């Protein structure tokens, strides 16, 4: 069953989301050659725990050993942080963060370049991030879940990248994973209707050259089947009568639908 959230509940989720947004800004400066994924995990854990009422939501969830997921290069999701895993110039690292604030989950991920990356890698990151923004713009009352996946497909079409379809976005609230599932492929107008009060984690994952994945022997780390690089961008979004509200950070100005209510835009100095 799809659980709709009240405005008050969405505000709590947004408070968790603000912590993740701030965390990503802070952690970006730590991502450089030589740093280990274990150090990034430790920083994230301490950062989240410094906020009253907030805990790293992934820590111990389903038995996950880290506080955040750190997935390097061909790793798509669920990479386990380690002090023995150092980053190299030109790598990419996806950091997936969950915060539980007063019992409410928030979920967001970003793929960061480590130093300078090659153009092909830069393009993969750019397209995945744009696919997320376009998908979020489709998260409006009157649309359906299928419109979100259709928006991802429209951006990726013609690039040669693979949309990882075995992993999906999801509703979230009191649980990290709630209904509905939010696939990154779909047909406009199909799937459950989007309603005021739905809170969704929208999270396109793209493989540079494949849409196939497999899980390593550690039973967590998901990699692309051909070991090509992959990128992952995720925000938690509330579907509201006033449009999609991004709860885990801000979005570039050109995505007007995602800028929030007009009163907050400072238009015309009013
Ligand atoms: Mg996530
Ligand atoms: Mg998620």
């Amino acid at each position: 069953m799809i659980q709709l959230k009240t405005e008050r509940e969405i505000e709590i989720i947004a408070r968790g989301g603000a912590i993740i947004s701030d965390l990503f800004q802070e952690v970006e400066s730590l991502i450089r050659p030589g740093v280990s994924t274990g150090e990034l995990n430790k920083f994230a854990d301490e950062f989240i725990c410094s906020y009253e009422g907030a805990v790293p939501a992934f820590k111990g969830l389903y038995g996950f050993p880290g506080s955040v997921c750190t997935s390097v290069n061909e790793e798509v999701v669920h990479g386990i942080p380690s002090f023995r895993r150092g980053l190299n110039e030109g790598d990419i690292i996806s950091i997936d963060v969950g915060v539980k604030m007063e019992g409410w989950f928030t979920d967001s991920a970003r793929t960061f370049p480590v130093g300078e990356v090659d153009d092909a890698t830069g393009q993969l990151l750019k397209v995945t991030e744009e696919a997320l923004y376009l998908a979020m713009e489709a998260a409006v009352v009157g649309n359906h879940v299928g419109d979100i996946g259709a928006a991802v497909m429209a951006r990726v079409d013609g690039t040669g990248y693979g949309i990882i379809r075995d992993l999906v976005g999801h509703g979230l609230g009191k649980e990290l994973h709630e209904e509905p599932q939010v696939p990154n492929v779909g047909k406009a107008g199909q799937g459950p209707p989007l309603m005021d009060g739905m809170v969704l984690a929208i999270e396109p994952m793209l493989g540079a050259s494949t849409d196939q994945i497999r899980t390593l022997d550690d039973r967590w780390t998901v990699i692309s089947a051909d070991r090509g690089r992959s990128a992952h961008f995720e925000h938690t979004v509330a579907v509201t009568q006033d449009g999609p509200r991004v709860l885990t950070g801000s979005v570039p100005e050109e995505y007007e639908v995602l800028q929030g209510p007009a009163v907050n835009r400072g238009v015309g100095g009013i």
Side-chain angles (χ1 to χ4, degrees), residues 58 96-97 107-109 168-170 172 176-177 201-203 205 232 234-236:
F58 299 165
D96 195 344
V97 183
D107 189 8
S108 183
V168 297
H170 48 94
L172 70 170
L176 176 62
H177 297 116
I202 299 176
E203 48 180 318
M205 289 152 268
H232 179 205
E234 174 182 33
H235 275 303
T236 298

Side-chain angles (χ1 to χ4, degrees), residues 37 62-66 68-82 85 92-94 164 167 205 212-225 227-228 230:
T37 57
Y62 316 121
F64 186 73
V68 299
C69 301
T70 53
S71 307
V72 180
N73 294 339
E74 76 276 12
E75 298 170 359
V76 183
V77 289
H78 304 163
I80 300 172
S82 166
R85 181 72 189 266
I92 51 174
I93 177 170
S94 303
I164 311 292
L167 300 166
M205 289 152 268
Q212 298 297 304
I213 54 174
R214 68 182 186 87
T215 305
L216 296 182
D217 290 341
D218 65 18
R219 296 191 296 158
W220 278 108
T221 312
V222 175
I223 66 166
S224 64
R227 292 190 173 266
S230 67

